């Protein structure tokens, strides 16, 4: 199957970096890119050997977006990103709930949660993803069987997944007197790692180019040292990637220091999880952060020397009042830098816009809004983190993972530079093409075989179920209505003008 794609703007790779090609064309043969150039100079020999032509017109065709913290769940941020500290504790597991924990969703519902989330990734131009899910509504974490089902749906949909069930040996709780703590079930952690190993080995046996097994333990403070070391050993044995959430919160830092007498970065290194196959979202709480020391004491250099990849999630960080200090500082240190969405919507365009705006504020300089750095992170940086130099670029020999965004919607306004215009005036809802391995996954908002109206109904029903269950975890056992009041009071009577 040979497909010729044309667009007014093509973000191609020249061997060292991205470059814009005006009125460009890309020829795909099976799953590979075999030619890139101006549309007018398309080799005549290819004219009779093209099975399909995709003429995108006023659009920007770019490498497929790589999301290394991709939500494959019902998003809780809609509920918990408005809370003060006291309210946030009510949305965390109470210590009492730890002993009566349960799955909020049935097995069928858990699988449907992941299916509708993957559909959202495809609709927003994501071609490669590494999943993230909340354990707040799970009995403990995730299972290999749930993930085998998700892997099957993912490859039928056509996305490229780097997958593994989450696991942990502890969970953050709030005690009866209102303190934050972590309670442990070490056997559950060992069982979770065994399940993850079964999944990673099972995915390898499938030998499907769209599926790669990886190890995805939960937050560093919820892992025992033994589980961290065992994870490192299992990954080393298989040459597998490990993504571990760390360096992301002040409670995490204080808890690790109080419990183990070292910083989280030192804790990672002590248990074999500081090397070039380790991926760390979000990497914000290190020495350069004003909430820690506000000065460079060597953390950046240590991360760079180890080859650890940081996954920046600027939109989610902003929504929770956090920030990376700063993108340019991390990049100048030589750190591998990728992007993630981490919440709904899985919109890396909005994420880039948020990151660019934050950089301008941090530096007090509009020139610090480095769009290219963020686009690089969503493409080349993600590929580097995955050790996949065939991804994240439009170049001869690269894998044909492509994304296109329309620029002709009247609401986009005037078009100057296509990427700056997209970031300032568009969103990932402007995606008009998602192609993975030469196969069209999404075109003009439609995905073959997917009933989007049904997806919408199911998303709302699943969200409602999740929302209602918060009350049983609250240490005060409040109702969902009490925990999540509306912006304005709901009127309970017909409002009329005074006569």
């Amino acid at each position: 199957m040979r497909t010729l794609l044309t667009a007014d703007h093509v973000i191609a790779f020249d061997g060292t970096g991205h470059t814009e090609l005006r009125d460009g064309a890309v020829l795909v043969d099976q799953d590979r890119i075999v030619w890139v150039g101006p549309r007018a100079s398309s080799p005549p020999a290819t004219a009779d050997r093209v099975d399909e032509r995709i003429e995108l017109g006023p659009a920007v065709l770019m490498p497929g977006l790589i999301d290394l913290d991709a939500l494959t769940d019902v998003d809780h941020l809609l509920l918990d990103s408005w809370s003060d500290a006291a309210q946030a504790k009510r949305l965390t597991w109470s210590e009492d709930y730890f002993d009566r924990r349960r799955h909020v969703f049935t097995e069928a519902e858990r699988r449907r949660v992941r299916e509708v989330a993957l559909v959202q990734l495809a609709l927003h131009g994501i071609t490669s993803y590494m999943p993230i899910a909340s354990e707040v509504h799970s009995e403990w974490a995730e299972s290999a069987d749930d993930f085998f089902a998700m892997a099957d749906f993912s490859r039928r949909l056509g996305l490229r997944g780097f997958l593994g069930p989450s696991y942990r040996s502890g969970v953050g709780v709030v005690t009866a007197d209102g303190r934050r703590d972590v309670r442990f079930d070490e056997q559950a952690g060992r069982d979770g790692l065994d399940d993850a190993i079964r999944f990673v080995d099972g995915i390898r046996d499938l030998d499907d180019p769209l599926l790669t097994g990886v190890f995805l333990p939960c937050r560093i403070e919820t892992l025992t040292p033994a589980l961290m070391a065992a994870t490192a050993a299992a990954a080393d044995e298989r040459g597998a990637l490990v993504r571990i959430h760390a360096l992301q919160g002040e409670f995490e830092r204080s808890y690790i220091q109080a419990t183990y007498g070292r910083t989280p970065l030192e804790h990672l290194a002590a248990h074999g999880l500081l090397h070039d196959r380790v991926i760390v979202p979000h990497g914000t709480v290190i020495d350069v952060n004003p909430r820690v020391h506000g000065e460079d004491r060597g953390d950046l250099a240590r991360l760079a020397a180890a080859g650890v990849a940081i996954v920046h999630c600027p939109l989610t960080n902003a929504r929770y009042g956090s920030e990376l200090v700063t993108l340019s500082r991390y990049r100048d240190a030589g750190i591998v830098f990728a992007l993630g969405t981490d919440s709904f919507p899985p919109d890396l365009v909005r994420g880039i816009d948020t990151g660019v705006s934050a950089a301008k504020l941090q530096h007090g300089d509009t020139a610090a809004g480095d769009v290219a750095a963020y686009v690089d992170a969503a493409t080349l940086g993600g590929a580097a983190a995955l050790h996949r130099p065939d991804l994240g670029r439009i170049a001869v020999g690269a894998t044909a993972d492509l994304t296109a965004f329309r620029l002709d919607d009247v609401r986009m306004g005037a078009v100057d530079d296509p990427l700056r215009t997209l970031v300032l005036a568009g969103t990932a809802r402007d995606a008009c093409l998602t192609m993975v391995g030469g196969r069209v996954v999404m075109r003009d908002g439609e995905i073959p075989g997917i009933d989007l109206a049904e997806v919408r109904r199911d998303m709302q029903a699943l969200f409602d179920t999740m929302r209602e269950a918060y009350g049983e975890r609250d240490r005060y056992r409040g109702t969902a209505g009490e925990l999540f009041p509306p912006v304005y009071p709901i009127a309970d009577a017909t409002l009329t003008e005074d006569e």
Side-chain angles (χ1 to χ4, degrees):
M1 178 72 175
R2 292 168 65 88
T3 305
L4 184 67
L5 301 98
T6 61
D8 287 2
H9 310 272
V10 175
I11 306 303
F13 187 74
D14 67 2
T16 58
H18 291 318
T19 184
E20 183 192 346
L21 180 64
R22 296 284 173 94
D23 198 18
V26 178
L27 181 63
V28 173
D29 190 350
Q30 302 301 324
D31 67 341
R32 296 282 162 173
I33 296 170
V34 296
W35 183 85
V36 183
R39 185 200 322 238
S41 64
S42 178
T46 67
D48 297 328
R49 299 180 55 209
V50 171
D51 301 294
E52 182 181 10
R53 296 175 183 271
I54 299 177
E55 297 184 358
L56 297 166
V60 56
L61 177 64
M62 59 191 298
L65 300 182
I66 299 172
D67 186 348
L68 295 189
D69 213 33
L71 184 74
T72 53
D73 202 347
V74 180
D75 191 19
H76 58 77
L77 182 144
L78 183 60
L79 299 171
D80 65 16
S81 60
W82 316 98
S83 307
D84 60 20
Q87 181 72 355
K89 290 182 178 180
R90 297 188 64 181
L91 306 184
T92 302
W93 281 22
S94 65
E95 194 170 26
D96 169 66
Y97 182 76
F98 181 94
D99 297 316
R100 54 183 174 80
R101 58 189 185 268
R102 71 175 183 91
H103 279 305
V104 169
F105 295 120
T106 66
E107 180 179 352
E109 288 172 332
R110 291 198 303 274
R111 295 184 178 186
R112 186 56 175 161
V113 162
R114 294 179 174 90
E115 290 175 0
V116 298
L118 292 184
V119 168
Q120 292 287 355
L121 297 182
L123 289 171
H124 287 80
I126 306 297
T127 57
S128 290
Y129 72 96
M130 191 175 281
I132 177 66
S134 167
E135 293 83 18
V136 69
H137 53 65
S138 298
E139 186 272 335
W140 191 247
E142 297 174 319
S143 75
D145 290 338
D146 283 348
F147 260 65
F148 278 122
M150 185 173 87
D152 181 63
F153 182 81
S154 181
R155 67 176 173 175
R156 285 191 284 119
L157 195 63
L159 295 178
R160 191 177 304 282
F162 295 81
L163 310 175
S166 66
Y167 53 94
R168 59 184 176 179
S169 35
V171 62
V173 299
V174 175
T175 63
D177 60 358
R179 291 180 297 105
R180 292 188 65 184
D181 200 0
V182 181
R183 280 197 59 182
F184 288 89
D185 182 339
E186 294 189 32
Q187 186 59 51
R190 290 189 291 267
D191 291 344
L193 175 57
D194 288 343
D195 218 25
I197 290 171
R198 178 166 70 91
F199 178 82
V200 170
D201 290 346
I203 289 297
R204 179 169 293 175
D205 290 342
L206 288 176
D207 194 27
D208 188 317
L210 292 180
L211 302 174
T212 301
V214 298
F215 288 93
L216 303 180
C218 295
R219 302 169 66 113
I220 187 175
E221 70 270 27
T222 68
L223 308 171
T224 61
L227 190 61
M228 291 174 66
T231 295
D236 288 346
E237 182 181 345
R238 293 160 177 80
L241 298 171
V242 180
R243 190 195 64 197
I244 179 169
H245 280 69
L247 318 177
Q248 68 169 339
E250 293 168 78
F251 172 77
E252 168 210 297
R253 187 177 178 91
S254 62
Y255 180 86
I256 295 294
Q257 288 181 310
T259 306
Y260 304 109
R262 56 173 70 100
T263 68
L265 185 56
E266 294 166 339
H267 199 51
L268 288 171
H271 298 97
L273 291 173
L274 200 68
H275 53 74
D276 67 353
R277 286 183 289 102
V278 172
I279 298 172
V280 176
H282 301 260
T284 55
V285 182
I286 61 173
D287 55 15
V288 296
N289 193 304
R291 290 179 290 162
V292 182
H293 300 302
E295 63 182 22
D296 187 353
R297 298 187 179 182
D299 286 356
L300 288 171
R302 191 168 189 180
L303 287 166
V308 170
I310 295 296
V311 183
H312 183 30
C313 305
L315 185 58
T316 298
N317 284 355
R319 287 170 164 177
Y320 283 117
S322 178
E323 62 178 335
L324 186 86
V325 186
T326 61
L327 170 70
S328 60
R329 196 167 193 172
Y330 281 62
R331 281 171 56 88
D332 289 347
I335 292 173
V336 177
F337 214 80
L339 288 191
T341 51
D342 193 34
S343 61
F344 187 85
D347 190 328
L348 284 175
V349 175
R350 289 180 68 184
I352 291 170
D353 185 25
T354 301
V356 165
S357 297
K360 293 178 180 180
L361 287 167
Q362 289 170 333
H363 291 275
D365 181 2
T366 55
D370 192 345
V371 174
Y374 275 92
V375 174
D376 283 353
T379 53
L380 299 170
L386 295 171
H387 293 253
R388 289 291 301 269
D390 61 311
L391 302 179
R393 66 206 68 205
I394 296 179
V396 173
T399 298
D401 287 11
L402 306 171
T403 297
F405 295 94
R406 289 218 166 275
L407 300 173
D408 59 351
D409 189 311
V410 66
R411 292 166 292 188
M412 189 74 71
V415 176
D416 181 41
D417 178 275
L419 292 176
R420 280 200 294 262
T421 299
L422 177 64
V423 167
L424 289 174
T427 74
R429 292 183 186 179
D430 294 300
C432 58
L433 175 77
T434 304
M435 172 181 278
V436 180
R439 169 188 168 188
V440 174
V441 176
M442 182 276 293
R443 180 77 190 275
D444 294 330
E446 298 293 331
I447 301 174
I450 300 298
D451 183 338
L452 295 181
E454 182 180 41
V455 167
R456 173 70 180 83
R457 290 192 298 269
D458 288 350
M459 285 183 67
Q460 187 65 53
L462 292 164
F463 175 82
D464 291 344
T465 297
M466 180 188 73
R467 182 179 185 275
E468 287 302 310
Y470 268 89
E472 67 184 88
R473 297 187 292 271
D474 172 24
R475 63 193 175 106
Y476 297 124
R477 304 296 287 272
T479 66
E482 293 169 342
L483 292 171
F484 309 115
V487 174
Y488 293 115
I490 304 298
D492 57 5
T494 301
L495 301 179
T496 60
E497 295 183 8
D498 292 335
E499 293 186 5

